[in-house]
Amino acid sequence: MDQFTLNLIVVGITFAIYVGIAIWARAGSTAEFYAAGQGVHPVMNGMATGADWMSAASFISMAGIIALAPAGGYTQSAFLMGWTGGYVLLALLLAPYLRKFGKFTVPEFIGDRFYSGGARLLAVVCLIIISITYVIGQMRGVGVTFSRFLEVSTDMGLYIGAAIVFAYAVFGGMKGITYTQVAQYVVLIIAYTIPAIFISLALTGAFLPQLGLIGDYAPAGGDQAFLAKLDQVVTELGFTAYTADTPSMLNMFLFTMSLMIGTAGLPHVIIRFFTVPKVADARSSAGWALVFIALLYTVAPAVGSMARLNFTTTMWPGAVTGNALDQDAVSLDAIQNDPKLSWVRTWEQTGLLVLQDLNGDGKIQYFNDAKLAAENKAVEGATKALADARAANADAARITELEAALAAANEARIAKGAEVTVGGQTLAERGWVANEVVKVDNDIMVLANPEIAALPGWVIALVAAGALAAALSTAAGLLLAISSAISHDLIKGSINPNISEKGELLAARISMTFAIVISTWLGLNPPGFAAQVVALAFGLAAATIFPALMMGIFSKRVNKEGAILGMLVGLVFTSVYIFLYKGWFFIPGTEVYADVPANYFFGISPLSIGTIGAILNFAVAFAVSAVTKAPPRQVVELVESIRIPRGAGKATAH
């Protein structure tokens, strides 16, 4: 059976299961649509939360970022520490208290606690911005997976994914989504760990990838540690050592903290804890979620590092048992004709992997050419200008002028190569021009990993199903958060408080449909790869929702004026800082500063700024509250009732 048919069968079976569960668990009331009737078992909720949480960013992009990070893999461990640490904050500081509040949504809590429709409305705005930013990454993940494994265009893949989400999210609501996510968790965890076990056995001889990461490198006879081998190979090719320390500990700390408090402030995660029967269940389901998430997150560093080594040894066959430069780079002939390298050809067709034989020697040299960045950019610009002119049927004089400009850019790059060394020789001495792996998208590393390692076809099909499960489960949770914010908090909370339950349920489903259409459109034009876009959502959640919830639960003095101004400052400050480097509203070419460390204020990257936004939110809220009227008595009593269990009685001595 060919790979395409196998992919189609495995993905088709999983999709049929998801739709079948949605039909079985169809929501019949607003309580079921928003919170699954608050009757989900903590273990089931933990599993559903794990699937809700482990998005396309976790499944597809995270290991890719760890694998290919220019600064090395250690710096990117911030993703692991931040995302798992956030669940500890959730379990200890937020989940039980929000469940005790007993309502359906985060804006509803903020509106009641800060006794203000304006605060609730602002929370709705923040929630929608965060969720839409986040959902872009999920739709991108769906498109990438479909385009490769089902051999359809990225656009068609998005439409298919949107239709599946529509089928189980619009009709099932939280009830349908919850039980579908349980099935999706099972699919994605199996799909992630099975290839990792195969690859760990091949590279280190260890069954558990977690042990393989710190084990010995098997092809060298076990005389060298796996990570030492990886460091040796990548540094020989001019890259930063994989285990190198972070260049900026402050930035790494702020980024980790931003991810951590952002996790605790993500609305689609928080609403999961409204679905359990009791307050104690909210805390235990957060614990179970952490267990289920850790099953994937402890494997991710091994997947990233092993993918990096496998990819590099594919490009440099000599690196398998010796030094990379002891043998020639992989040849174009091998790429075209060797069945073991068929994955290169298939991923090239998606545009996510681009190889160019720049020096015409019939081989593909893969190395770090960061010192040629300016020259590479000049060649790229000249090439594009010439292609555009030819497409526009420009006159011969203009074409000649642009051809001369391209030739000059190429000559400048070759001249610069006389100053850049790899393995003790200059590029000019080696006859190299530049890195001939022109593009390798972070998002393909997990998806291509089984093919790079030559694993069986059913494993590759399973990875496709797992990637789709990860993206679709999180997309459904985000879309539900958007839907409930519009129908419950905006329509019922502000526009039409007297709407009937049937009318509200219809409004929720229409809102969900609208959100699916918008997210699909954004998925067609994503601003970046999945995990980077998601990191921006975390920054916004960290700077807006998390501080408001913390102050709402643990401070009796913070009032509506303080909360509203705090959230506004956090939202505006964080958004503007991100847009300065990423482009206004992520529109390419509108950035004010180049997104490089040299341009960061105090060395703080736009992905780390959420922590500063949160600090400003807290500072403004407390300062404004201190000089304005205290909250009314009933609000103080609400805070006390959330934090202190009623009817528990005093402790007695025995």
Side-chain angles (χ1 to χ4, degrees):
M1 187 182 296
D2 66 272
Q3 188 63 54
F4 173 74
T5 306
L6 204 54
N7 293 343
L8 211 56
I9 290 171
V10 174
V11 171
I13 289 171
T14 58
F15 278 13
I17 291 170
Y18 305 155
V19 175
I21 290 172
I23 294 169
W24 167 72
R26 191 172 188 272
S29 66
T30 52
E32 288 184 339
F33 192 91
Y34 295 135
Q38 296 185 326
V40 181
H41 190 278
V43 177
M44 296 281 276
N45 193 53
M47 202 177 288
T49 305
D52 203 345
W53 173 246
M54 287 185 292
S55 59
S58 292
F59 192 98
I60 300 174
S61 285
M62 184 172 63
I65 286 180
I66 294 171
L68 297 173
Y74 172 74
T75 302
Q76 306 308 315
S77 63
F79 283 100
L80 301 169
M81 294 184 291
W83 284 346
T84 48
Y87 265 91
V88 178
L89 292 182
L90 257 180
L92 296 178
L93 301 179
L94 295 181
Y97 304 109
L98 292 173
R99 176 63 188 87
K100 191 166 191 298
F101 177 63
K103 298 295 178 66
F104 293 147
T105 68
V106 171
E108 192 169 14
F109 169 78
I110 290 175
D112 286 5
R113 163 58 185 87
F114 297 113
Y115 52 98
S116 166
R120 183 174 183 175
L121 196 59
L122 182 57
V124 168
V125 171
C126 292
L127 184 150
I128 290 174
I129 292 172
I130 292 163
S131 299
I132 290 211
T133 306
Y134 200 161
V135 86
I136 294 169
Q138 311 320 308
M139 298 319 249
R140 155 79 172 169
V142 171
V144 168
T145 309
F146 268 116
S147 67
R148 163 62 189 92
F149 291 105
L150 297 188
E151 297 178 21
V152 297
S153 69
T154 303
D155 292 7
M156 181 55 68
L158 282 169
Y159 296 139
I160 296 170
I164 296 296
V165 172
F166 178 87
Y168 70 79
V170 171
F171 296 109
M174 178 61 90
K175 188 177 178 184
I177 287 170
T178 296
Y179 293 108
T180 303
Q181 283 173 337
V182 172
Q184 286 168 331
Y185 176 80
V186 174
V187 171
L188 73 86
I189 199 67
I190 291 172
Y192 201 83
T193 52
I194 285 180
I197 290 169
F198 272 110
I199 294 167
S200 178
L201 284 169
L203 289 179
T204 68
F207 179 80
L208 292 177
Q210 296 94 327
L211 296 179
L213 180 66
I214 57 173
D216 293 328
Y217 181 60
D223 296 331
Q224 187 177 22
F226 169 75
L227 286 174
K229 174 63 177 179
L230 180 55
D231 278 349
Q232 173 218 315
V233 170
V234 297
T235 53
E236 186 184 359
L237 298 173
F239 295 100
T240 304
Y242 192 77
T243 58
D245 201 355
T246 176
S248 171
M249 192 58 72
L250 170 65
N251 194 62
M252 186 173 179
F253 172 80
L254 291 175
F255 183 47
T256 305
M257 182 60 70
S258 179
L259 292 174
M260 192 178 290
I261 61 178
T263 298
L266 281 177
H268 75 289
V269 173
I270 293 170
I271 59 174
R272 288 238 54 92
F273 299 104
F274 295 132
T275 65
V276 292
K278 303 191 299 291
V279 174
D281 293 338
R283 197 185 295 274
S284 67
S285 68
W288 279 110
L290 197 55
V291 169
F292 291 127
I293 290 164
L295 291 178
L296 187 146
Y297 273 30
T298 55
V299 174
V303 171
S305 58
M306 292 173 187
R308 176 68 177 274
L309 186 59
N310 270 335
F311 181 79
T312 308
T313 54
T314 299
M315 295 294 114
W316 293 97
V320 175
T321 54
N323 295 320
L325 300 175
D326 287 349
Q327 293 182 28
D328 286 339
V330 67
S331 68
L332 286 173
D333 181 64
I335 290 172
Q336 292 301 320
N337 300 305
D338 188 344
K340 292 179 182 178
L341 297 179
S342 62
W343 66 270
V344 177
R345 299 192 295 274
T346 54
W347 280 103
E348 276 193 289
Q349 290 168 11
T350 68
L352 299 175
L353 178 65
V354 179
L355 310 178
Q356 288 181 6
D357 183 13
L358 298 173
N359 62 354
D361 66 352
K363 300 178 181 66
I364 298 296
Q365 283 90 21
Y366 170 57
F367 62 96
N368 183 14
D369 66 350
K371 292 178 181 177
L372 296 174
E375 288 75 14
N376 285 337
K377 191 171 183 180
V379 170
E380 185 182 337
T383 303
K384 185 177 185 304
L386 180 58
D388 290 346
R390 284 173 172 162
N393 294 318
D395 58 71
R398 178 61 177 159
I399 296 293
T400 302
E401 178 189 341
L402 291 173
E403 285 175 340
L406 177 57
N410 275 314
E411 286 171 13
R413 181 163 66 177
I414 291 169
K416 179 71 174 181
E419 304 170 19
V420 178
T421 60
V422 175
Q425 288 183 278
T426 67
L427 300 187
E429 289 170 338
R430 291 187 178 276
W432 297 355
V433 175
N435 178 18
E436 296 178 335
V437 180
V438 177
K439 178 182 179 182
V440 51
D441 195 295
N442 290 0
D443 289 356
I444 76 169
M445 292 311 292
V446 167
L447 300 179
N449 214 8
E451 296 171 273
I452 297 172
L455 298 185
W458 64 269
V459 177
I460 296 168
L462 198 58
V463 168
L468 291 169
L472 294 175
S473 61
T474 304
L478 289 162
L479 293 166
L480 181 69
I482 296 169
S483 166
S484 59
I486 294 171
S487 60
H488 190 68
D489 294 303
L490 192 60
I491 295 174
K492 185 177 176 66
S494 302
I495 299 171
N496 184 10
N498 298 318
I499 190 172
S500 66
E501 180 168 326
K502 186 176 179 181
E504 187 183 347
L505 191 58
L506 178 63
R509 287 186 166 130
I510 292 171
S511 302
M512 176 81 80
T513 304
F514 178 72
I516 289 172
V517 171
I518 294 295
S519 63
T520 303
W521 178 78
L522 287 170
L524 297 174
N525 305 283
F529 55 83
Q532 188 183 55
V533 176
V534 166
L536 304 181
F538 280 86
L540 295 176
T544 56
I545 301 289
F546 178 78
L549 293 177
M550 285 293 291
M551 291 183 288
I553 293 169
F554 294 103
S555 171
K556 300 177 188 177
R557 184 63 184 84
V558 175
N559 57 20
K560 64 180 180 183
E561 292 85 1
I564 291 171
L565 281 172
M567 278 197 289
L568 274 175
V569 168
L571 176 66
V572 172
F573 171 81
T574 306
S575 301
V576 168
Y577 192 86
I578 289 169
F579 291 153
L580 286 174
Y581 295 96
K582 303 292 183 183
W584 294 96
F585 302 100
F586 308 123
I587 298 169
T590 60
E591 61 274 5
V592 177
Y593 303 107
D595 189 9
V596 293
N599 291 338
Y600 297 157
F601 289 96
F602 303 104
I604 301 171
S605 115
L607 301 182
S608 309
I609 200 64
T611 304
I612 307 299
I615 292 170
L616 290 176
N617 187 333
F618 279 115
V620 169
F622 280 116
V624 171
S625 297
V627 296
T628 49
K629 189 178 177 182
R633 182 65 204 160
Q634 68 267 24
V635 171
V636 175
E637 290 174 354
L638 171 66
V639 175
E640 290 174 346
S641 72
I642 291 170
R643 286 171 47 192
I644 303 165
R646 295 296 175 109
K650 293 183 179 180
T652 55
H654 289 280

